[in-house]
Amino acid sequence: MHRRHFLASLAVLPLAGAVPAFAAQIGVNTPFPALTVERINTLPAAQRQAWLDYLKRSEVAMAADQAALKAEREGMTTIPDGPKGGNGEATMPLDKPAEWYESVEARAVADNIVSFQTPAGGWGKNQPRNGPVRLKGQHYVANNMPPNQKPDDFDAPHLPGWGYVGTIDNDATITETRFLFKVFAATKVEAYRASALRGLQYLLNAQFPNGGWPQVWPLTGGYHDGMTLNDNAMSSVMQLMGDAGRGEGDFAAVSAELRAKTAAAETRAIQVLLDAQVIIDGKRTLWAQQYDPLTLTPTSARNYEPPALSSSESASVLTYLMKLNAPSKDIVAAVHAGAAMLEKLKIEGMVFAKTPDGQDRLLTPKDGAGPLWSRYYDMKTLKPIFGNRSKTLHDTITDVEPERRRGYSWYNNSAASALNRYAKWKESHA
């Protein structure tokens, strides 16, 4: 894998001859580059076959998922409504006493989970698991498509009616797999173990040849095919791979052969995280939330999410790396550099709060407030960068449309906990 950072083209694209809709418009967001055979064939010869095999594996899994649902619906006069959406994680607690997982309540959740597992072995997101089991012909996943989408929106589905059918977004698949291992440990019901093992194998199948993971697998096109750090997606999978690889506690049910595979998957993923740390002027900085898996170039996600350094995702990566036992010199160097950049970018004496009428959110001064970080930083200037649903990019939050100011975490303090951990960690990792 060639490590490439096209920083001049990543930050923002100038608007040639265009009249900005806002005074501070500095560019437009561009779509995720498609993962295609043609692009794979531009890689060095030694890398191509692994990626071609990966793409084929995804296509076969997608066809099998769709064929299975179609076969169930054959001859049906009425198709069951899709499952309801909602807070899925709340229905799959992972912090209950061991004896709770043998309860009727826990087993009902586990039965629901098993029934909604896709043929490929994954699960959808934002789907409560304390409801009835899946009906014949019912869709595997709840509808997660935003309303009022436009055909050219970056998150518009490439396959109508087929979104997030197997995903790691919002801890989907990761939480279901962990929950099933807990219920199996308490009940010894083989169906729960078998489903959990299929979940692990699904994640192994979904892993890119370079060690990363896409947000959705089988691949469905668009930014969902990108290597995804957003919302802790990749670090959560890596933690699961590591836990399974050690085979401790609930993961004693994992065979030695599968433990070796999951441990190796975590090792490969750590390396690609190190490779993906963005270098500016020869120095390691932070991480982006989404990457082109073929080049490790930061990319866009949704219309308003630009290729940029991401404080929240970087904090999650640093927290994960600091939990590793006996970190290598490269890991230690990556953590020191990332923490230094977060320290440099922190904002003191400001809050990102609702206006008195509750109709807006703005960055405003407040004595003693902070630290705070912008969600995104331009990779050329290291200044905050913001986006609109219309794909325009801006250098100030006041030029973002009010709906996006209210509905997105443009500023947050999630990096504070990572720096607090770092203050202790650095004492023994000079």
Side-chain angles (χ1 to χ4, degrees):
M1 174 65 63
H2 288 296
R3 187 177 182 193
R4 295 183 282 181
H5 301 282
F6 301 111
L7 298 183
S9 62
L10 288 174
V12 288
L13 300 178
L15 297 175
V19 178
F22 300 91
Q25 184 174 330
I26 58 174
V28 291
N29 208 5
T30 55
F32 178 88
L35 182 57
T36 63
V37 170
E38 290 74 21
R39 292 191 64 227
I40 290 172
N41 283 333
T42 67
L43 295 174
Q47 298 176 15
R48 294 174 195 166
Q49 194 58 52
W51 283 98
L52 292 172
D53 291 345
Y54 178 86
L55 204 58
K56 182 63 175 179
R57 183 166 72 244
S58 172
E59 291 168 354
V60 169
M62 169 71 79
D65 279 354
Q66 294 184 322
L69 185 59
K70 181 179 179 181
E72 284 188 355
R73 292 176 171 180
E74 198 72 36
M76 297 182 70
T77 57
T78 303
I79 304 298
D81 291 337
K84 294 181 179 180
N87 188 339
E89 284 194 89
T91 64
M92 297 177 284
L94 301 176
D95 57 355
K96 296 284 189 180
E99 57 270 18
W100 182 83
Y101 293 96
E102 61 180 341
S103 68
V104 172
E105 181 181 0
R107 290 179 64 152
V109 171
D111 289 339
N112 177 284
I113 292 172
V114 171
S115 74
F116 278 99
Q117 188 170 27
T118 69
W123 285 273
K125 68 171 184 173
N126 301 337
Q127 192 168 321
R129 300 299 179 188
N130 57 353
V133 297
R134 178 176 173 269
L135 300 172
K136 180 181 177 181
Q138 191 174 25
H139 210 311
Y140 302 116
V141 303
N143 179 18
N144 281 286
M145 295 298 104
N148 304 318
Q149 275 188 331
K150 298 178 181 178
D152 64 341
D153 282 355
F154 292 166
D155 53 355
H158 288 229
L159 299 169
W162 198 265
Y164 297 97
V165 184
T167 184
I168 59 173
D169 194 29
N170 293 356
D171 279 338
T173 299
I174 302 155
T175 306
E176 281 84 352
T177 300
R178 287 187 177 277
F179 188 89
L180 288 175
F181 273 120
K182 285 184 172 295
V183 178
F184 172 74
T187 65
K188 303 306 179 187
V189 174
E190 179 57 28
Y192 303 147
R193 176 178 177 271
S195 184
L197 293 175
R198 286 184 60 214
L200 289 180
Q201 187 59 55
Y202 163 87
L203 293 169
L204 291 174
N205 290 340
Q207 188 175 28
F208 288 130
N210 66 5
W213 274 274
Q215 186 188 63
V216 174
W217 196 86
L219 303 177
T220 56
Y223 74 87
H224 305 293
D225 293 359
M227 190 177 90
T228 302
L229 277 60
N230 191 26
D231 291 341
N232 310 333
M234 214 172 105
S235 58
S236 295
V237 179
M238 293 168 69
Q239 186 65 58
L240 175 58
M241 293 290 105
D243 291 345
R246 285 180 285 276
E248 299 169 352
D250 301 329
F251 297 95
V254 180
S255 69
E257 180 182 7
L258 188 53
R259 287 202 302 271
K261 291 179 179 179
T262 55
E266 183 188 27
T267 298
R268 291 196 303 274
I270 291 170
Q271 184 57 54
V272 81
L273 275 185
L274 298 180
D275 292 342
Q277 191 172 19
V278 177
I279 294 176
I280 300 177
D281 294 333
K283 296 181 180 180
R284 291 179 176 272
T285 61
L286 300 176
W287 286 264
Q289 70 172 26
Q290 222 94 14
Y291 289 83
D292 177 349
L294 295 182
T295 64
L296 295 187
T297 301
T299 67
S300 62
R302 288 174 288 190
N303 290 20
Y304 47 88
E305 295 175 321
L309 302 181
S310 175
S311 61
S312 298
E313 277 62 42
S314 296
S316 297
V317 170
L318 291 173
T319 299
Y320 168 81
L321 292 176
M322 286 188 285
K323 290 179 180 179
L324 295 174
N325 293 323
S328 68
K329 290 182 179 179
D330 287 343
I331 293 172
V332 171
V335 171
H336 285 314
M341 183 55 66
L342 286 179
E343 185 68 32
K344 176 180 178 178
L345 296 175
K346 71 179 181 182
I347 303 167
E348 303 280 8
M350 303 290 284
V351 293
F352 185 49
K354 287 184 177 181
T355 53
D357 62 6
Q359 299 303 304
D360 207 345
R361 279 201 304 174
L362 295 172
L363 189 67
T364 55
K366 183 178 180 180
D367 290 342
L372 200 64
W373 287 263
S374 175
R375 171 104 187 210
Y376 300 116
Y377 291 90
D378 181 276
M379 288 180 288
K380 290 181 68 177
T381 66
L382 294 181
K383 294 181 179 179
I385 185 172
F386 312 91
N388 277 314
R389 290 192 185 277
S390 61
K391 304 172 190 170
T392 59
L393 299 177
H394 303 267
D395 59 6
T396 173
I397 188 65
T398 55
D399 287 307
V400 173
E401 54 210 12
E403 181 274 331
R404 279 298 76 198
R405 285 203 298 266
R406 292 193 304 269
Y408 196 69
S409 179
W410 293 110
Y411 289 94
N412 61 75
N413 64 356
S414 60
S417 61
L419 288 182
N420 289 339
R421 178 183 287 270
Y422 174 73
K424 180 68 176 177
W425 181 90
K426 69 179 180 180
E427 295 175 4
S428 53
H429 297 88

